[in-house]
Amino acid sequence: MTFINCSEKKVTENKEFDVTELTISDIHKAYQNNTLNSEQLVEAYLNRIEKLDTTLNAITTINKNAIEIAKALDDEYEKTGILRPLHGIPLIVKDNINTKGLPTTAGSLALQNYIPEEDAFIIEKLVNAGAIIIAKSNMAEWAFSPMHSESSTAGTSRNPYNTDYVPAGSSGGTGASIAANFGTIGLGTDTGNSIRGPSSHNALVGFRTTLGLVSRSAIVPLYLRNDVVGPMCRSVEDATKVLEVITGIDPKDPLTKYSEGKTPSNYTQFLKKNALTGCRIGVLRELSDYNADPEINALFNGALKQLDSLGATVIDTVIVPDFKNLRSNQWCATFREDVETFLKDYVKNDSLTTIEDIIKAGSTSDFARERLIRNAAHSGRWEDSDIPCLDAYTDIRRIAFREAIEDVMDSLKLDAIVYPTWNNPPARINHFQEEYKGDNSQIISPHTGQPAFTVPMGFSSKNLPAGLQFLGRMYDEPVLIGLTYSYEQGTKQRKAPVLK
């Protein structure tokens, strides 16, 4: 890669350097060596977005102040000689996370004019760490769809590896944009799939963390009892550096109180290339073998061999007693309560207070419109409304499911359980519903609250990425960081898409 020497007075508009696959470490080394500054980096990413996003449709809003913010960070570094943890690192934020002065629409017409006056808790932490929000990314409207990323505000996003295919949902805009090197780091949200699915479909690393570890306040909810926000990056190291910044107890998100005393001050210490040596990995065939595409099955079995060659003991197969029953009756329809609370606390618009007001505002997406009507008509547990819908720490169904899995892990002394993030390749955009198959992310961690990380596992035909998912115990992020980093470094499965 080539950097511009900062001794030059100004980078000419047509003189660009290659931002492809830059990491936080790469960038900070270049800053320290005076071969790059934040202003130049932001300009390069924005030029790339302008040139290439007409095809992908991944970006919804450009931060017009990004260059000025970068200049201020350059001045700060020149004066202090100190780099903040994410100093001058360009960040792309999903369009359902409140960002001061930038639209937060959740892809909807109802919120198309909503511009928050304050940053969400995690955004404030990222900005204080030196990150530069350069853009907001497209998403499935109201985060309803794990299948595709279509919004009323921006339309449909495409997969950069093959633009006839979906980038998954709902964080498909973040997935496509980070895969395409439109920014260094990205944020997504995950109610059932929406960090890990788009990460898998776009050859990225995606962290769904333990429920309670990271604040969800000032984020447009889907089902808050399941919602998580987390990093979507091109490397485990970068995702870990983002995680290290965004963890913390937030008074506006009571669930974060459960994380007290369970958060190490330094997550990067767990980035060890030999972390797989001597560990024990369980294989959940009940997921991996269900209606699996032969190509994905071959990639998964190849990944198991790779884990073994990297020093892990692979336990094939792990049986969770009563798994089919435990996984059932977990979903609850809490969208009305959650979104109406968000509207009251943040939007504060007298003409937009209920889900009926949202429906009245309209939608260009048939899929989103159907889901709005469905959620307006339902509350409580979808299958058995007599069982209260509570959080991951107090809901009897969720606790029972988690205990069954962790008991098996304890009995077999497992460090993690693995399965393909999706058992099937991405669907074609024009057939996103009938070809939606094999999404394993919805089944365990959204309900149990356990962390689950996905990393690139390789590519099927038509240049379509696939992901390997690691499931851990509650608050076992340090273990998962080590395992996923060791696998990533030992296999080097990610490759950048070729864009024109």
Side-chain angles (χ1 to χ4, degrees):
M1 63 188 71
T2 304
F3 295 114
I4 303 302
N5 192 310
C6 291
S7 62
E8 297 179 18
K9 291 183 179 180
K10 186 174 178 63
V11 181
T12 58
E13 288 186 9
N14 60 357
K15 190 173 184 180
E16 296 183 11
F17 54 89
D18 187 5
V19 298
T20 306
E21 304 298 282
L22 284 179
T23 68
I24 295 169
S25 292
D26 292 334
I27 293 165
H28 280 179
K29 285 177 184 176
Y31 291 168
Q32 291 167 335
N33 293 334
N34 199 35
T35 55
L36 176 68
N37 64 28
S38 300
E39 180 184 356
Q40 294 163 350
L41 182 63
V42 169
E43 285 180 344
Y45 276 124
L46 293 180
N47 287 341
R48 186 172 173 86
I49 290 171
E50 183 178 9
K51 180 181 178 181
L52 297 174
D53 193 47
T54 52
T55 300
L56 299 184
N57 198 37
I59 299 298
T60 58
T61 303
I62 297 294
N63 184 1
K64 295 180 180 179
N65 296 320
I67 295 291
E68 292 304 313
I69 295 168
K71 288 179 180 178
L73 286 165
D74 287 336
D75 290 343
E76 176 188 313
Y77 180 53
E78 185 176 350
K79 292 175 182 176
T80 66
I82 297 172
L83 291 173
R84 305 190 211 180
L86 298 176
H87 198 105
I89 301 299
L91 165 68
I92 293 175
V93 179
K94 185 178 180 181
D95 195 23
N96 61 347
I97 303 171
N98 276 9
T99 44
K100 182 179 179 180
L102 294 173
T104 298
T105 75
S108 70
L109 297 179
L111 293 179
Q112 63 182 329
N113 297 317
Y114 170 53
I115 300 177
E117 297 178 357
E118 296 180 349
D119 285 328
F121 179 82
I122 61 159
I123 296 296
E124 183 178 1
K125 289 171 77 69
L126 288 162
V127 169
N128 287 340
I132 303 170
I133 302 169
I134 61 168
K136 300 291 284 284
S137 57
N138 195 30
M139 59 179 285
E141 190 166 334
W142 298 108
F144 281 139
S145 177
M147 308 174 192
H148 71 321
S149 291
E150 176 193 9
S151 68
S152 288
T153 50
T156 300
S157 296
R158 294 179 177 273
N159 191 310
Y161 289 91
N162 189 325
T163 55
D164 290 334
Y165 290 80
V166 299
S170 63
S171 310
T174 300
S177 60
I178 296 301
N181 290 279
F182 290 171
T184 311
I185 55 177
L187 282 181
T189 62
D190 188 316
T191 304
N193 158 83
S194 297
I195 287 172
R196 293 157 297 151
S199 294
S200 175
H201 278 21
N202 291 278
L204 297 178
V205 172
F207 286 4
R208 181 186 168 97
T209 55
T210 303
L211 269 168
L213 187 67
V214 178
S215 167
R216 294 88 42 83
S217 67
I219 298 172
V220 183
L222 177 48
Y223 302 143
L224 189 59
R225 67 194 296 274
N226 293 76
D227 290 348
V228 166
V229 59
M232 298 172 65
C233 299
R234 291 182 297 270
S235 71
V236 174
E237 181 177 333
D238 281 0
T240 300
K241 289 179 177 180
V242 173
L243 175 62
E244 195 166 274
V245 169
I246 63 176
T247 56
I249 297 172
D250 176 10
K252 292 184 178 180
D253 185 354
L255 206 67
T256 58
K257 292 180 181 178
Y258 286 100
S259 70
E260 188 171 3
K262 299 171 184 174
T263 307
S265 59
N266 175 5
Y267 278 106
T268 55
Q269 66 181 301
F270 304 108
L271 294 165
K272 298 178 181 178
K273 289 185 179 180
N274 65 346
L276 281 167
T277 301
C279 78
R280 292 171 61 83
I281 304 292
V283 181
L284 193 57
R285 290 285 178 187
E286 191 157 355
L287 292 189
S288 66
D289 290 359
Y290 180 74
N291 197 24
D293 178 88
E295 287 190 279
I296 304 300
N297 190 52
L299 288 173
F300 179 62
N301 288 321
L304 298 180
K305 292 178 181 178
Q306 290 168 331
L307 290 168
D308 178 80
S309 69
L310 291 167
T313 298
V314 177
I315 314 303
D316 190 357
T317 300
V318 170
I319 303 295
V320 178
D322 205 25
F323 184 80
K324 185 177 180 180
N325 174 57
L326 288 166
R327 64 178 280 188
S328 68
N329 198 19
Q330 292 285 353
W331 288 103
C332 289
T334 62
F335 180 69
R336 176 187 288 277
E337 176 186 352
D338 295 337
V339 78
E340 290 180 357
T341 299
F342 179 88
L343 296 175
K344 176 175 66 71
D345 291 346
Y346 297 102
V347 180
K348 301 176 182 178
N349 181 340
D350 290 341
S351 64
L352 186 65
T353 61
T354 67
I355 193 171
E356 284 76 20
D357 293 332
I358 291 171
I359 293 170
K360 186 178 179 181
S363 173
T364 63
S365 165
D366 292 338
F367 184 92
R369 191 181 306 110
E370 184 276 328
R371 290 299 174 99
L372 280 169
I373 294 170
R374 181 184 174 199
N375 276 275
H378 289 85
S379 62
R381 205 170 292 267
W382 286 102
E383 296 177 47
D384 184 353
S385 59
D386 290 336
I387 303 174
C389 290
L390 303 175
D391 64 45
Y393 297 87
T394 57
D395 189 301
I396 59 171
R397 294 286 306 169
R398 304 178 80 169
I399 293 169
F401 195 11
R402 178 172 66 247
E403 287 181 346
I405 292 169
E406 293 192 344
D407 285 349
V408 170
M409 294 181 71
D410 291 344
S411 68
L412 296 174
K413 299 180 180 179
L414 300 179
D415 295 279
I417 291 172
V418 294
Y419 41 87
T421 305
W422 286 58
N423 283 350
N424 294 75
R428 291 173 294 172
I429 285 176
N430 294 332
H431 302 271
F432 72 89
Q433 284 182 284
E434 60 262 41
E435 294 181 3
Y436 170 67
K437 300 173 183 177
D439 177 1
N440 287 324
S441 296
Q442 309 271 0
I443 296 166
I444 300 176
S445 62
H447 312 299
T448 64
Q450 294 169 260
F453 294 2
T454 185
V455 289
M457 186 173 68
F459 292 78
S460 59
S461 59
K462 300 178 183 176
N463 197 35
L464 295 170
L468 177 65
Q469 192 160 153
F470 290 73
L471 175 76
R473 296 174 179 82
M474 296 288 276
Y475 297 100
D476 254 5
E477 279 75 11
V479 174
L480 294 188
I481 286 168
L483 299 180
T484 53
Y485 182 71
S486 183
Y487 177 79
E488 171 198 60
Q489 294 300 303
T491 60
K492 301 288 187 180
Q493 296 285 13
R494 176 173 163 79
K495 63 181 180 182
V498 178
L499 299 172
K500 297 178 181 179

